[in-house]
Amino acid sequence: MHVIIMGPPGAGKGTQAERMTKDFALLHISTGEIFRNAVKEGTEMGKKAKEYMDKGLLVPDEIVVGIVKERLSRPDCAGGVLLDGFPRTVEQAEALDEVMQDLNMKIDAAISVDVNEEELINRLTGRRVCRNCGATYHLKFNPPKVRNICDHCSGELYQRSDDTIDTVKERLAVYNKQTLPMIEYYQRKNLFVSVDGSQSINQVYSVISAHLQKIKEQ
Ligand code: ADP
Ligand code: AMP
């Protein structure tokens, strides 16, 4: 099964991805996380990506597509993948189709988690992430058991540098302009599924997992 999870920044893609990958044995590919790791490691690609990420802008398609292509070509992707944060433009969606075709894979669904802008701002500005394993928390909506410590690996929690109010507003504007048009692309292919992301984490997951179960049984 090859699934895309899409939606605006802060909708809950990463939160849902943690459960989806575990329950359905999917490999989680988050382009945002690949970039954050590259920034941490100080690679050339990380330095280039950081220039865009700090401003809330998209990293250019030629960089992102190359990374995803290389990642999808590795043998561990054969059992199924969950793409999180990619594609993010119509051009990336078209490039993904080509890569998938070359690798004899196909997308089974593009699941969009939808949340209104006011709630997205609340979610993003209160988000905390584990420095060690990348697990996501929220100060109010999904706090860790011990303040600032990851429940899973005891790693330290931090606030992403692009989760400040000004960068969040820019990222939401970029989403509306560059990513929203992609919905039509997947609607035309009959792959688009919209989920109400304003519900609780458990409620959102029960809707998503029901879809994945249906795909699995097809
Ligand atoms: P994305 O990957 O789409 O950017 P995240 O999964 O990181 O979003 O979620 C953004 C923030 O919102 C996190 O702090 C997360 O804990 C919180 N969150 C995720 N889903 C929900 C939900 N259904 N209700 C309330 N808060 C949520
Ligand atoms: P995310 O973790 O998905 O919120 O992504 C964080 C940042 O990484 C984004 O604001 C972009 O700068 C960059 N990024 C992640 N995925 C992509 C993508 N598919 N295309 C372009 N830029 C991306």
Side-chain angles (χ1 to χ4, degrees):
M1 174 160 42
H2 298 94
V3 178
I4 296 166
I5 185 156
M6 55 188 278
K13 301 181 294 294
T15 303
Q16 297 299 326
E18 275 181 41
R19 298 189 183 191
M20 294 162 78
T21 47
K22 206 162 110 224
D23 292 352
F24 292 87
L26 302 173
L27 187 88
H28 186 196
I29 301 181
S30 155
T31 42
E33 207 162 304
I34 292 174
F35 288 135
R36 279 186 291 282
N37 285 337
V39 170
K40 201 159 71 179
E41 286 159 18
T43 66
E44 277 313 304
M45 185 271 279
K47 281 180 198 152
K48 187 94 212 134
K50 191 173 186 311
E51 288 172 29
Y52 296 90
M53 294 165 81
D54 282 348
K55 294 186 190 126
L57 302 176
L58 295 186
V59 175
D61 286 350
E62 56 273 20
I63 301 179
V64 191
V65 171
I67 288 168
V68 174
K69 187 173 179 180
E70 188 278 325
R71 188 65 194 88
L72 284 174
S73 312
R74 292 196 220 157
D76 59 353
C77 292
V81 297
L82 176 63
L83 289 168
D84 167 3
F86 180 92
R88 244 172 161 109
T89 62
V90 172
E91 291 73 19
Q92 289 182 13
E94 287 167 350
L96 175 63
D97 277 347
E98 275 181 36
V99 171
M100 285 270 168
Q101 204 175 2
D102 288 350
L103 295 170
N104 250 327
M105 294 173 173
K106 71 168 179 53
I107 297 292
D108 294 292
I111 299 173
S112 176
V113 185
D114 300 313
V115 175
N116 73 48
E117 203 143 314
E118 193 188 331
E119 176 68 8
L120 290 172
I121 292 174
N122 288 335
R123 288 189 185 182
L124 288 168
T125 51
R127 171 161 65 185
R128 295 294 181 271
V129 182
C130 175
R131 223 180 259 292
N132 181 45
C133 74
T136 302
Y137 298 85
H138 191 281
L139 291 179
K140 269 199 237 152
F141 308 142
N142 184 26
K145 292 193 183 92
V146 181
R147 200 167 160 265
N148 276 330
I149 302 290
C150 178
D151 291 350
H152 306 299
C153 72
S154 302
E156 181 204 8
L157 305 188
Y158 78 106
Q159 181 173 31
R160 274 170 50 172
S161 60
D162 59 351
D163 277 347
T164 53
I165 186 73
D166 288 342
T167 315
V168 161
K169 286 189 174 160
E170 183 60 36
R171 287 160 65 205
L172 294 175
V174 165
Y175 174 81
N176 289 333
K177 188 158 173 252
Q178 295 183 262
T179 308
L180 265 187
M182 216 177 65
I183 289 178
E184 210 187 308
Y185 184 84
Y186 287 108
Q187 276 173 334
R188 269 192 274 119
K189 290 176 177 285
N190 261 335
L191 293 174
F192 186 74
V193 179
S194 169
V195 176
D196 175 6
S198 66
Q199 311 170 85
S200 73
I201 294 175
N202 285 339
Q203 284 168 324
V204 176
Y205 186 64
S206 71
V207 177
I208 292 179
S209 60
H211 277 292
L212 295 185
Q213 194 58 40
K214 250 196 290 178
I215 294 169
K216 203 174 148 186
E217 286 162 8
Q218 269 167 17

